[in-house]
């Protein structure tokens, strides 16, 4: 089937002038001409135009695209593999950019000034939006999730720094207690487990003993949470989970 230049322009989403330019530089010349001398493009021409558009989208200059396509050693499968590799890299980069923009949007709601130093000061290497979608899917219908969102939307940078300092201080104390050999179900560990529950209640949502023990089970079951606590101190995940359960049994 043959296509006129206007048809090709509409199908490909390019201008007729662009197609004329491609023809002039030898990047995409129509396979034939009509009886009246009009350009006539074949299916093969359209396939080549599609490849040209892929490489243009990836930022390749026209001269380089022509050299790639006219290389006698190349083949269509190799082009597809290369395009796939390049697009995969670009998608990853775009996803990172989207995540950064979404974080910036959320941070602006929290009145956090987004200098690199302050971002690192508040969150370090942790991205608070990394699991936001998953959290909404798992708990979006709960009052705890809605309450947490309401509170967080009002936090300033100073609020986040205060929460971070309290969490780090608690972490140092529970690690010291664990390393001292104190039992996880003993009174000192239970008190720190209770403090952990209160911190959640004060900063994010009302954390009942039932919710708290559910969190303890999740810390053990979800490798991401396990990795977080194990990074603080090896063995802390199991120690904290046992202390939380013992505290709930004692106080609930």
């Amino acid at each position: 089937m043959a296509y006129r230049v206007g048809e090709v322009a509409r199908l490909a989403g390019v201008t007729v002038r662009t197609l004329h330019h491609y023809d002039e530089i030898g990047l995409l010349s129509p396979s034939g001409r009509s009886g009246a001398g009009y350009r006539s493009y074949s299916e093969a021409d359209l396939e080549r135009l599609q490849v040209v558009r892929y490489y243009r989208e990836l930022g390749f200059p026209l001269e380089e695209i022509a050299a790639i396509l006219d290389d006698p050693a190349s083949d269509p499968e190799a082009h597809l593999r290369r395009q796939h590799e390049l697009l995969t890299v670009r998608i990853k980069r775009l996803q990172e950019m989207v995540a950064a923009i979404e974080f910036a949007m959320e941070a602006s709601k929290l009145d956090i000034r987004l200098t690199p130093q302050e971002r690192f000061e508040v969150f370090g290497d942790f991205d608070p939006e990394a699991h936001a979608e998953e959290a909404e899917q798992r708990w979006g219908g709960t009052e705890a999730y809605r309450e947490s969102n309401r509170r967080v939307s009002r936090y300033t940078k100073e609020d986040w720094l205060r929460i971070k300092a309290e969490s780090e201080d608690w972490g140092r104390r529970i690690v010291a207690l664990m390393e001292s050999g104190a039992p996880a179900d003993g009174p000192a560990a239970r008190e720190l487990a209770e403090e952990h529950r209160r911190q959640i209640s004060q900063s994010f949502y009302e954390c009942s003993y039932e919710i708290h023990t559910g969190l303890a089970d999740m810390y053990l079951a979800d490798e991401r949470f396990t990795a977080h606590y194990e990074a603080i101190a090896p063995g802390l995940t199991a120690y904290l989970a046992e202390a939380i359960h013992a505290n709930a049994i004692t106080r609930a």
Side-chain angles (χ1 to χ4, degrees), residues 131-143:
H131 306 296
E133 183 177 351
E134 178 185 353
E136 184 173 7
Q137 290 173 352
R138 295 177 66 173
W139 300 296
T142 66
E143 178 56 33

Side-chain angles (χ1 to χ4, degrees), residues 35 64 69 123 143 155 159 181 196 199 205-206 221 232 239:
E64 189 171 346
L69 296 184
F123 297 115
E143 178 56 33
Y155 284 167
D159 291 322
H196 181 268
Q199 285 183 355
Y205 54 85
E206 185 58 38
I232 298 174
Y239 188 86

Side-chain angles (χ1 to χ4, degrees), residues 20-126:
H20 287 172
H21 179 61
Y22 288 176
D23 186 11
E24 290 168 2
I25 65 175
L27 178 61
L28 178 68
S29 298
S31 298
R33 296 270 179 173
S34 67
Y38 294 113
R39 293 173 172 84
S40 177
Y41 293 84
S42 67
E43 296 283 353
D45 295 333
L46 264 64
E47 290 177 5
R48 181 179 173 100
L49 176 57
Q50 184 179 39
V51 176
V52 169
R53 292 186 63 223
Y54 282 149
Y55 280 116
R56 283 297 288 161
E57 183 67 22
L58 291 167
F60 282 67
L62 296 178
E63 296 78 5
E64 189 171 346
I65 296 172
I68 293 171
L69 296 184
D70 294 333
D71 182 356
S74 67
D75 62 79
E77 186 176 350
H79 286 310
L80 290 173
R81 285 198 302 270
R82 178 168 176 77
Q83 290 160 18
H84 182 273
E85 292 170 359
L86 292 170
L87 285 170
T88 299
V89 171
R90 184 173 184 183
I91 288 170
K92 183 176 184 299
R93 176 56 183 155
L94 288 173
Q95 288 173 334
E96 292 172 350
M97 291 173 64
V98 168
I101 291 170
E102 289 176 346
F103 175 70
M105 291 168 63
E106 181 63 23
S108 67
K109 296 177 186 176
L110 304 179
D111 197 28
I112 298 175
R113 298 185 182 278
L114 294 178
T115 66
Q117 180 179 349
E118 287 177 330
R119 287 184 189 175
F120 185 80
E121 184 183 359
V122 174
F123 297 115
D125 294 328
F126 171 68

Side-chain angles (χ1 to χ4, degrees), residues 178-223:
M178 178 184 69
E179 292 178 344
S180 74
D185 59 353
R190 294 199 308 269
E191 186 58 39
L192 283 174
E194 177 65 12
E195 184 178 336
H196 181 268
R197 187 188 70 84
R198 287 199 305 267
Q199 285 183 355
I200 296 172
S201 294
Q202 291 166 1
S203 299
F204 300 105
Y205 54 85
E206 185 58 38
C207 183
S208 67
Y209 291 103
E210 181 181 3
I211 291 175
H212 203 209
T213 54
L215 290 175
D217 293 339
M218 186 173 64
Y219 297 160
L220 292 170
D222 191 316
E223 61 183 12

